Amino acid sequence: MAQFRSLKQLQMLTMDICVLTEGGEPKILHGASLTSSFGLELLEIILRSQVDTLVGHEEQIYLLRTHMMPLIVKTLSEKANFNLTVRAVRLLRLLLGNFMSAMIDEIEMAMSLINHLLDLSTSVLWKRTLCLELLKDTFDDPKLVRSIYALYDEQKDRKNLIVDHLASLVRLAAEKPALIGSGQQSSGFEAQQDFSADQIAVELAGFSGPVGTSTTETNLSRPGISTQWSTLRLSCIDHVDKAEPPAIPVTYPYYLVLTCIIGFSEGLSKFLLPFTAPTRTKSKRERKSTHDSQDMPQPSEKEIKEPSDDTNDSRSEVQSFAQGKSSLVNPLALVGHEMYDQIRTSALIMEHCWPAFLAASSTFFNASLDSENLHALIRSFQKFTQMAGLLELNTPRDALLTELAKHAVPITAGRFMKTSNSTISRHRRLEEDEETDSTDGEGSPGPGAPGKAQKVSDRTPTSIGPRNLLCLRALLNLGIALGPLLNASWMIILESLHQVDVVLINSEWRSVQSHWEPPKGLADRNYEGKALTKDDISTEMSAVEAAMGRLYESTSDLPHEAFFQLLRCFKNLIYNVSGLGDELPKQSKADMSDRRHVRLGSMSGLHMSDMTASKTLMLLFDRFEQIGQNNVARLSRHQASGSGWSIISELLVDHIGTSNGNTDVRICAAQKLNALVNQLAITTTLESFQDDDNVIGTCLETLSAAVSSLWRSKSSTSASTCSLEIHLMELETLISILEHCGGALQSSWDTVFLIILSIFQNTGGPVIGDEKRRIGLHACDPRSPKLVRSSFASLQLICSDYLTELPERCMMMLLDTSYYFCSQDQDFNISLTSMTFFRSISDYLRQDELFDGEIQSCSTESELFQLINSGSGSISRSIIWDYLLLHLRYLAADSRLEVRHGALHTLFGILEACGNALGIVAWRRCFRLICFELLFAVSAKYQEQENANGSRWGETCVLVVQYVSNTFIRSLKAFSGHEYLSTIWDQLLTKFGEILNAGSLRVGQAVFDSLVELLVELSGVPGFPKSALGPAWAIWQDHSPAEYKLTDKVDNQDALTAYLRFIPQFHSMLDGGFDPAQSEIVILRSKSCMVQSTPVIYGSDVDEMTQVQRLGLRNMSFISTSSSDMLVKLAEEIGSLVRMAFQAEDGQAQKGKTFIALSKAAMHVLANLVKHHCNPSEHSTTPLLATALYSLEVPIRFKYKWKTEGKGAPTWKKATSTALSILNTDLLRQCTEGAQNAQDLWTAIISISNAIAAADTKACDAEKTDILADQTFDIESFNQLQSIIIPLLGSVPDPSLHREYMHSVFTNSLIHEPHPDDLPLTCDHALLSGLATKHIGRVQALPPTRRAKMSYVLLDHLFSLVAAHDPSTSAVSTTESITLARAAAPYLILRVGVVLKAYIYDQPLRGLMPQPLSQKREMRHVLQKVVGLESESEAFPRGMMGLGGADGEGEEGGGKKKHLGLLFGMVVQALKAAKRDEEMAARLRDVVEAVVGVGF
């Protein structure tokens, strides 16, 4: 147009072209003619090239208003051909874009016409297409849209062009749903034919939509919107050289509508988004996020703001969390911005146009779109929603979010829903109702109709497809972008995620992936038109998971209030899903209802199986955990109520403690809570925050609350098992916290101990707060052995690593806890190991401190408890130490032996270690509070359970006595010289006496062993009063173990030994020895012990005395012999010991209890006693000697009758030697002269003589006994004894003693057994009466005695007693010899007469048989002795009966042969009987000759 020189020419030319185009007459182009299409083309060229020129001149604008615009309107309104219409639309596009502000009215009319032409009933397809292309270009220009809205929609007197156009697009999009493949679950074409098996298999695999259409179908009539068949290579508006419209696909108009909607949203977001993000450097996470989401409908980095996750920011000040890491900017807040008017206009557009945008988008969400269009639609929808949120348009934002959430969840998920007020479900039900009504109205639906789609949907299982995943990703991105502004609208996003979880769980998504085959629908194709593969679906799901992770990460950037809103929404959702909200207290339900957004509903309408519900809840817990983990920094910098931790913990604890809940859900909740607690505590410690103790304390309180919730009510077995498993998890978490954070704990140790003690069902209340301590009065009942072991690990960690970190106020709780673990009976090793903790605690408490002189002190248990519970400020270490000892004292009364002994070992080990640090007051407190009470308690237990398990408690009593005694010894250094020593000593002995009342041998042994040790130590204590020994003596006197009742297989040797060992030490401490009363008691108790002692196990008392016998005999040596009575008494008791072996019952020797060695030892003691104390001047000598001899006679008498003998000389030989050693002539003479009780002495002597001479050879064992040697010993002993007693025996005035002695000699002198008729019945003058009797003779040989030599000695002794003595040479006086001769004469005559009479009666019967050799030898010896005897003349008194009829003859004659006259008659008779025995006859004639020779 360079040839035009002025604007005037341009104006006229433009006018002429308009006129020519309308068929009129031009003004300057005379004669010219133009076709309408060419004219319109020229006008377009002029406008396009001269825009800047025309805009600034009113004349030109006027021309356009009066000529060009009417031409355009006329062309569009009439039924012009395609070519003209295209030119007119193109001109309108130029005018709209460049001259709208100058042609407001005209543009309003033209655009209204365009809006009218969009109606299906008023335009043909190509004209509607041209109008839509015009609108597409309009909506693609955001500045133009803002201008139109500002000039028209904002003005009250103008039409709402933008709103109207959008409304028309909404109507157009929904006018033919079948063409766009619309349906509730549409994702592509709907097949006209019946479904094949392949298609059904694909649908059952989890992806809705038909397999595809027939290959014969043309693209022009194919339903659904795709870039393959729904578009033109060249737009209709660009077909300026075509007379006819091109072939337009039936879905092309709808594609244009979709493009308009997308362009409208994109234009607004491009303008507004840059104003919402503060200027900052992009974070590393943002760059990564953008890179990972290139194919997602996400805002660009310049348009959208995402929260950062800079790890360095997590350590910023607390204020950053209150404001948010990066505050979102509301563009409307930029009032001073130069483009504020444009911003405000854009905000108004969104506020008024969002319903149309939502409606149109909703239509296309339900249409069959290919992947490219679907991505574009979702991207634009996301941006529009994001802008609504940033502009704080809450209602549009929630509606848009709800729509997006609805499409993120498969439509068939509705079958899992009951009636509920959920936003998503409510929208979905309304749409289902509307589509059902439309289907009913249209009749039978055509191919791809919604009705058929609904039927397919009914047969399709609930699953999730690519479209759902895209919508879900968009929803997650919106959550990231709008997180700080969503508030209660978080529920929409959370509900969607939850419903998707339900779908995935029910469709078993992961198993579906393994055999999935891609369908052939539009939406299941990628940008290149290739079908989606299984890998694509998996990638899409991974992208969703990644977006979900970014969403949870972004929560760390949320301000506090926004974060609270998110937690509240999550909490409400979980409560509704679990149904736990109905079980909460009224206040909690009120809080939940107040926080719930009015538009959001409950998810309680979901109808799921128990398995699905549990899996869903576990997924929700997992996401809840992710939120907590991403906000650890926030949680660690605030109090629980200010950081959101209270919401998190309350939710998880409530589900953990649900007794009727699913076990998997409870365990999952516990796992999440433990993970969060552990991470929060460790992070707090590592970051070293100022308030880390409070944060860790909050974590511990949460754990405690979780544990407490497990056992609030009784539950089933399965629930209890689950509770135990959860409890174990909580304890493991506690261990982890202590390992990492124990050093940072200060004020939360109380909670730690509460958690540790939670394993016990009835601990009686460890002291927390104002509760009173009552240990030892209740049972510790652990819930499970596993819990015991896990909880114990925490206690062990505290005692090993954090003992020095514990405040002293917590020491009491530590002691209580250790006590409970020692008392539990689930794990024995733990009970023993826990005992060592007390030692460690004691060592810690006594560091650099003496436990004496404390202001706070107590001497009784009640005083200790009163002081502890008084609350009078801090408690001293001394009191804590006393409390520690008190725990051990109670443990020493445990029912398990090992635990009791372990407690005792620890208790007294502590006292031993602290002994040097304790003073008088402390030691006194230990004895009163611990030692004495322990003695009493253990003794009581032993007496109570003596029948059931007394032996085991007896061991404990023994150990207690030993420990207490040793402790007393250690305390002597402190008590030395103090009055407390006697007091403690008396109290100790009193307790010992009480223990001895139990009658236990082991306890008695321990007590008396301890007493001996104590006496040894006390003997070296200066100033110890002798009067204090009285109680010790009383104990020994009153509690002899010999008096205890014994059962079978009980050995009392050790007890008696300990008992007897007391006397020597006690005697050493006495000034004057034992008094008579004590001496008698010592003698009696010692003897009693020896008598009542049990046989030695695997030993014998035959060769050696037992320890008891040795000590008992030794104790008698401590008896004072200054008193004659006591001397005799002592001799009697020692003599009884000599006789004890031979007085025992027959069975005792078989059991190993013989007293043989004791008897021999007692003989020695007795001999020494007699030798040292037989003083002729003492009147006690005779009784002493008599007592000793009487005792010694017994073993001699039992010569061969007692068969139990040991090594060495037999007991009878020892007794014989002992008796002979203590006897001598002088002593015997002094004891005989003037003694009143000499008769007892001589009786004993005669008994010994008889015992020596006699022997029951039939009772001896010939193989083991050397009778000849024994006979020789007895002969020597007898001869020695006779040499002592014969000189004095005649001086004894009692004739009965003489007769007894003679009778003994006579009896033991018999070599052969006489006829019974020959012996007298009594020892008087009728002694010889038996010789005058007659009886039948005996022809059998009579065996001689085995001790014949001894008999001959006695026979000779008898002749010697009758023989006359020379007073000058004999030691026996004449009077005494005559006395003995008179006593012996009858026995001599009887002894000779027995031999002669046997010969007289037996020999005639033998005939030619010789007399037995032994009898012949005896008779020869007797006759020889008779002939040679010169008897004492006075030995045979007048009137003595003669033998053989010679009564009274020759009484006056005979002299020293008087005995021959008495025997003459029998000799004559014997001579007659010996007519065939020449030898014996000769000897008898010698006797006769001797008789005749003396003149009888």
Side-chain angles (χ1 to χ4, degrees), residues 54-66 98-99 102-103:
L54 298 177
V55 169
H57 297 277
E58 293 184 2
E59 296 84 354
Q60 299 293 340
I61 296 301
Y62 178 78
L63 175 62
L64 296 178
R65 293 174 58 190
T66 58
N98 299 301
F99 304 98
M103 305 170 63

Side-chain angles (χ1 to χ4, degrees), residues 991-1230:
K991 296 299 180 181
F992 279 174
E994 294 174 357
I995 290 180
L996 289 173
N997 290 331
S1000 169
L1001 291 174
R1002 282 179 297 176
V1003 175
Q1005 174 189 350
V1007 170
F1008 289 111
D1009 280 338
S1010 299
L1011 278 177
V1012 172
E1013 295 178 7
L1014 292 173
L1015 290 176
V1016 171
E1017 296 296 331
L1018 288 172
S1019 63
V1021 176
F1024 181 74
K1026 301 301 181 181
S1027 59
L1029 296 176
W1033 170 259
I1035 289 178
W1036 190 88
Q1037 174 183 343
D1038 297 336
H1039 298 91
S1040 173
E1043 299 176 357
Y1044 296 166
K1045 294 181 180 179
L1046 301 180
T1047 59
D1048 293 340
K1049 299 180 181 180
V1050 174
D1051 182 16
N1052 64 356
Q1053 285 283 333
D1054 294 336
L1056 294 175
T1057 299
Y1059 178 76
L1060 294 174
R1061 285 179 58 240
F1062 172 86
I1063 293 301
Q1065 183 59 38
F1066 183 79
H1067 181 267
S1068 66
M1069 299 181 68
L1070 296 176
D1071 293 333
F1074 294 114
D1075 58 30
Q1078 291 177 330
S1079 298
E1080 185 174 357
I1081 292 174
V1082 170
I1083 294 173
L1084 294 176
R1085 295 288 186 270
S1086 299
K1087 178 183 176 182
S1088 175
C1089 290
M1090 291 185 283
V1091 172
Q1092 299 299 329
S1093 63
T1094 57
V1096 180
I1097 300 176
Y1098 307 112
S1100 172
D1101 63 346
V1102 175
D1103 297 320
E1104 294 182 1
M1105 290 186 293
T1106 64
Q1107 186 71 4
V1108 173
Q1109 294 169 357
R1110 185 178 294 108
L1111 291 174
L1113 194 59
R1114 179 191 176 193
N1115 287 348
M1116 292 185 180
S1117 66
F1118 295 109
I1119 303 302
S1120 175
T1121 57
S1122 59
S1123 171
S1124 59
D1125 293 338
M1126 184 54 61
L1127 180 61
V1128 175
K1129 177 67 175 179
L1130 179 60
E1132 290 176 354
E1133 296 301 333
I1134 296 176
S1136 67
L1137 298 180
V1138 175
R1139 303 189 304 271
M1140 188 179 297
F1142 309 96
Q1143 295 173 347
E1145 297 178 2
D1146 294 340
Q1148 288 185 341
Q1150 298 177 1
K1151 296 179 180 180
K1153 185 177 177 182
T1154 65
F1155 302 107
I1156 298 298
L1158 174 63
S1159 179
K1160 293 180 180 180
M1163 293 176 191
H1164 178 73
V1165 174
L1166 185 60
N1168 291 335
L1169 183 66
V1170 173
K1171 291 177 182 179
H1172 288 88
H1173 295 89
C1174 280
N1175 187 353
S1177 62
E1178 296 289 341
H1179 68 276
S1180 61
T1181 301
T1182 301
L1184 176 61
L1185 185 58
T1187 301
L1189 294 176
Y1190 173 76
S1191 299
L1192 293 172
E1193 181 269 342
V1194 175
I1196 301 173
R1197 177 160 36 92
F1198 280 87
K1199 186 175 302 179
Y1200 292 141
K1201 296 179 181 179
W1202 187 260
K1203 297 180 174 58
T1204 304
E1205 294 290 352
K1207 298 177 182 179
T1211 310
W1212 62 271
K1213 286 186 178 182
K1214 175 71 173 176
T1216 301
S1217 300
T1218 303
L1220 294 175
S1221 67
I1222 63 176
L1223 274 177
N1224 59 76
T1225 304
D1226 295 334
L1227 176 64
L1228 187 59
R1229 179 179 291 110
Q1230 293 170 0

Side-chain angles (χ1 to χ4, degrees), residues 96-107:
L96 182 62
N98 299 301
F99 304 98
M100 181 177 59
S101 59
M103 305 170 63
I104 296 177
D105 295 336
E106 291 75 7
I107 292 297

